[in-house]
Amino acid sequence: MASSGEQQERCPAAAADSLSFMELAVQQAKLALESLEVPVGCVIVEDGKVIASGRNRTNETRNATRHAEMEAIDVILDHWHRSGLSATEVAEIFSRCILYVTCEPCIMCASALSILGIKEVYYGCANDKFGGCGSILSLHIARGFKCYGGIMASEAVSLFRDFYEQGNPNAPKPHRPRAAQASS
Amino acid sequence: MCSKQMGSDDIGQWRIEYIPDKPPVPPDQQPTVDVVASPIDPKFANAIVRRLNQVAPLENLRHVKRVQKKCLEGGKAELSVVLCIVPDNGDLRGMPPDVQELISSYQLSTFTTKVCKYAALSKEEWEAQCKLWPTSYHPPTYNISGITGFSEDDSRSVFSFMKYAVELATSGNEWVVNAAVIVDPISSQVIASACDQVCHSHGSPARTSAEPRCYGQVAAISAKSDVNGRTDYDSLPQNASSNYLEQKGAVVSCLSPWSWAKKCAHQSSSSLWHPLRHAAMVAIESSAERDRQLFPGSGRSEDMVSEMDCAQYSAGSPAKRQKTEDLRFQVEIDEKRDVHSLQGPLEKPYLCTGYDIYLAWEPCVMCAMALVHQRIRRIFYAFPNASAGALGSVQRLQGEKSLNHHYAVFRVFMPQDTLRSVPIPLS
Ligand SMILES: [Zn+2]
């Protein structure tokens, strides 16, 4: 599988660590797939510990903004609210958090992650149509976060392939991910 | 042109301006092409033009008029004709042989001149073009994404919803915030409305959708514009008087999305602040909830599968897609859009397809992209967002051709009286 391009730096985190966190993100993506949702999943990690996870819920909610990242962000914000943390405290914790997500964050999510001031993002496959971390816009550069792609990209892509294959046979088939075609 | 300036007196200074997909070029700096031209004898004009249209049609310059007519002193007219585009290397010996033959048989004395490369998009551009060489101008018609030619009724409706959004933005007890109103333009019905909930000190849970208080106003406003047909645009409600507003600070989410921690620092720990709950995001959430309530159990996963926001992923390197400039493509999209809008209000909505959104301030990137995802048809905003605006001020998301959905963007200008009462933060 091709790695994710020259714009992304090489992944500095301990390889084993980032693989195991990405594995958890892939598990989330599989949950989405089982619920007939676009299979994207993610986890948020603070100091080596998973503090939130999320997966796509756009069908269930009929809200096309309910991407995995937004779900996980709401989970952890809700938790922090209950714990009585202040906005300043929350901002400080976000600045130490790392997101692992199976697919490059879209322009909306990349922008949200920049607003929150998250530290780093590791993603699986690139998002050629909506990607906000290099594919279409590069929102991680100016007021953003460090961003590394291509981690377990083939797993992420094969979930998309499964998603299309289980989809409604009457629906026009969308374009297959290119890499999936190449590797099949 | 009536497209931009409304003629009617009672509408006053309200005005709708289209925000194009590409940054506007000053009319006198439009791209040009060098062409070979020649004065011709009027009595041969028809024959020459007919022959030229056969041997050297202006394929990519259909907006350029073949013949220029200049009135000389004494009432005589001088005609000039475009023979062909200057050959790539600039060497006139590279002109098509048939054109060269025409030149010699009519003993034409050629010269090179410039014509505008693209058809004019506005009357201003067209007037500037004609100073170089005459072109034809076809104002966009209404059914192409409603870019121009808002009818008076449509304009009134736009102004009334815009006014409502600005009122909403300024109606809070503490701060001026951004506000969003999602509207079904066919039924003039408000689908959802919301204010920023970044620093949200209301007692009500932030998660629930439409605030009851807003809902009453919404009903009132739709009824008012439906029944009377006319609404009063001239004044904001009394609580929006300038004195009152100047005492308030403005914490418009989209203007400074990164400073939420500072803005919310004084919130009590029990209050419901949320860095990402910009007005547009909250309004989208409300509209989705309305959809679920009105059409429970209408699982439309099949639509989702075919429409798939995440349809194109790859593990390859991120690469900017070839930007296509094909106008026909745009028209095709717009025709589809019209089909959707003709389906009427009783049709189950697919996300916000066919709906418009009114925002007090131009949205930030997050909100603008959320509105792409939710398939909003048109965006109207009153105030530009120089610090973080994604629809023309900083980014221009409506011009990103790779996105699978494109909305049309408009700025609504409000009368000075109304504007003066709304402080515009410069952050
Ligand atoms: Zn925003």
Side-chain angles (χ1 to χ4, degrees):
Chain A
M1 189 60 63
S3 80
S4 201
E6 314 79 62
Q7 291 187 37
Q8 310 305 330
E9 300 167 44
R10 280 192 69 83
C11 159
D17 263 14
S18 59
L19 279 182
S20 68
F21 289 129
M22 191 58 87
E23 184 68 50
L24 295 172
V26 170
Q27 290 303 324
Q28 287 294 316
K30 284 179 179 164
L31 287 180
L33 185 69
E34 283 165 19
S35 314
L36 304 179
E37 297 278 0
V38 176
V40 180
C42 72
V43 295
I44 298 175
V45 173
E46 177 199 359
D47 301 335
K49 223 175 62 205
V50 174
I51 56 169
S53 62
R55 51 97 169 165
N56 202 302
R57 277 183 203 275
T58 54
N59 283 338
E60 178 195 327
T61 56
R62 298 183 211 173
N63 179 341
T65 71
R66 297 316 296 171
H67 290 184
E69 298 92 324
M70 303 302 255
E71 289 283 319
I73 288 164
D74 279 359
V75 166
I76 194 59
L77 274 173
D78 196 44
H79 175 73
W80 286 333
H81 274 299
R82 287 169 204 268
S83 315
L85 295 189
S86 71
T88 319
E89 288 165 322
V90 164
E92 192 277 321
I93 305 177
F94 267 129
S95 73
R96 289 186 281 111
C97 283
I98 301 177
L99 173 80
Y100 293 86
V101 57
T102 55
C103 182
E104 177 189 354
C106 78
I107 289 167
M108 172 190 72
C109 291
S111 179
L113 293 163
S114 154
I115 290 171
L116 296 177
I118 204 158
K119 185 184 172 201
E120 290 170 3
V121 171
Y122 296 82
Y123 67 78
C125 59
N127 182 341
D128 286 353
K129 220 171 172 182
F130 303 108
C133 303
S135 289
I136 307 300
L137 297 183
S138 296
L139 297 162
H140 61 299
I141 291 174
R143 290 182 92 146
F145 38 86
K146 292 209 174 76
C147 194
Y148 314 92
I151 296 147
M152 295 180 67
S154 57
E155 282 83 346
V157 168
S158 85
L159 285 175
F160 285 123
R161 187 170 47 191
D162 294 347
F163 179 77
Y164 299 129
E165 276 165 9
Q166 79 176 15
N168 179 1
N170 299 323
K173 287 273 181 264
H175 302 283
R176 295 280 173 76
R178 288 203 309 258
Q181 284 174 331
S183 63
S184 59
Chain B
M1 276 306 289
C2 56
S3 63
K4 285 192 173 180
Q5 205 80 45
M6 301 313 301
S8 174
D9 279 337
D10 52 358
I11 293 176
Q13 298 161 63
W14 285 89
R15 175 160 76 86
I16 305 171
E17 186 176 296
Y18 175 62
I19 310 292
D21 294 353
K22 280 180 278 184
V25 178
D28 58 345
Q29 289 173 31
Q30 297 176 67
T32 58
V33 178
D34 290 333
V35 295
V36 186
S38 167
I40 51 171
D41 186 330
K43 64 177 184 254
F44 300 129
N46 277 340
I48 291 174
V49 168
R50 208 177 304 125
R51 179 79 184 134
L52 280 170
N53 285 339
Q54 286 165 1
V55 301
L58 296 174
E59 283 296 353
N60 295 316
L61 297 171
R62 292 183 182 281
H63 58 288
V64 174
K65 294 202 169 163
R66 197 94 214 195
V67 177
Q68 180 190 51
K69 183 178 179 181
K70 270 188 183 163
C71 289
L72 302 177
E73 279 179 47
K76 274 191 72 180
E78 183 195 70
L79 298 187
S80 300
V81 66
V82 175
L83 296 168
C84 62
I85 293 170
V86 170
D88 283 342
N89 58 5
D91 184 352
L92 293 191
R93 286 170 303 182
M95 287 191 294
D98 288 331
V99 174
Q100 300 198 31
E101 198 186 302
L102 198 76
I103 293 169
S104 60
S105 62
Y106 286 96
Q107 298 190 328
L108 303 178
S109 51
T110 63
F111 62 95
T112 26
T113 186
K114 290 182 188 304
V115 299
C116 281
K117 191 172 180 182
Y118 304 112
L121 297 174
S122 66
K123 199 187 175 202
E124 292 72 28
E125 283 188 10
W126 177 56
E127 283 165 353
Q129 291 196 346
C130 292
K131 286 176 188 159
L132 293 178
W133 188 277
T135 59
S136 53
Y137 171 53
H138 304 287
T141 50
Y142 179 71
N143 61 3
I144 298 182
S145 63
I147 282 171
T148 60
F150 283 92
S151 71
E152 194 151 313
D153 279 353
D154 290 337
S155 302
R156 285 178 183 285
S157 169
V158 165
F159 299 152
S160 125
F161 286 121
M162 192 76 252
K163 179 166 174 266
Y164 175 56
V166 171
E167 283 171 10
L168 211 54
T170 55
S171 67
N173 293 324
E174 296 171 75
W175 306 103
V176 175
V177 295
N178 207 354
V181 181
I182 296 176
V183 171
D184 177 356
I186 303 293
S187 62
S188 285
Q189 193 186 4
V190 172
I191 301 296
S193 63
C195 293
D196 285 340
Q197 293 180 356
V198 171
C199 299
H200 189 62
S201 52
H202 289 193
S204 61
R207 298 243 140 253
T208 59
S209 58
E211 296 150 37
R213 182 180 58 86
C214 294
Y215 220 81
Q217 293 176 359
V218 166
I221 251 207
S222 1
K224 199 172 163 192
S225 49
D226 274 353
V227 174
N228 303 333
R230 305 187 147 218
T231 14
D232 166 32
Y233 311 109
D234 297 329
S235 58
L236 282 169
Q238 285 182 325
N239 70 347
S241 71
S242 52
N243 273 348
Y244 175 75
L245 282 170
E246 273 157 21
Q247 290 161 12
K248 298 174 154 194
V251 287
V252 178
S253 62
C254 291
L255 292 184
S256 52
W258 296 277
S259 57
W260 56 273
K262 207 171 68 193
K263 285 180 207 160
C264 304
H266 306 299
Q267 299 278 311
S268 71
S269 59
S270 61
S271 66
L272 288 156
W273 50 270
H274 188 306
L276 306 180
R277 288 184 72 78
H278 295 197
M281 305 297 285
V282 182
I284 287 172
E285 187 182 81
S286 295
S287 74
E289 189 172 313
R290 176 188 179 273
D291 186 3
R292 295 196 305 272
Q293 280 168 5
L294 288 182
F295 306 100
S298 70
R300 273 162 293 131
S301 58
E302 65 278 4
D303 293 346
M304 286 296 204
V305 172
S306 60
E307 291 260 5
M308 271 278 297
D309 264 7
C310 305
Q312 293 207 342
Y313 292 110
S314 79
S317 62
K320 292 250 181 201
R321 285 181 159 236
Q322 190 86 39
K323 303 274 186 268
T324 163
E325 308 272 342
D326 195 335
L327 249 166
R328 278 168 302 178
F329 172 66
Q330 189 61 45
V331 171
E332 199 177 280
I333 287 182
D334 292 326
E335 278 165 2
K336 279 187 204 150
R337 195 182 274 164
D338 283 347
V339 168
H340 273 295
S341 67
L342 285 173
Q343 286 171 346
L346 292 176
E347 196 75 20
K348 273 186 307 193
Y350 169 65
L351 302 175
C352 285
T353 300
Y355 293 169
D356 298 335
I357 191 167
Y358 293 81
L359 292 159
W361 272 273
E362 178 189 357
C364 71
V365 183
M366 176 182 70
C367 294
M369 189 61 201
L371 294 169
V372 172
H373 286 318
Q374 201 70 7
R375 303 291 203 281
I376 279 281
R377 184 175 79 138
R378 296 183 299 188
I379 298 180
F380 298 89
Y381 67 80
F383 312 119
N385 173 354
S387 54
L391 300 179
S393 293
V394 179
Q395 282 99 352
R396 198 174 282 262
L397 213 58
Q398 66 269 46
E400 288 294 338
K401 296 289 182 213
S402 79
L403 304 181
N404 64 341
H405 172 74
H406 296 92
Y407 39 56
V409 180
F410 304 86
R411 179 176 172 193
V412 178
F413 289 80
M414 306 173 78
Q416 282 303 314
D417 293 354
T418 314
L419 266 179
R420 229 177 284 127
S421 66
V422 181
I424 301 174
L426 300 168
S427 64

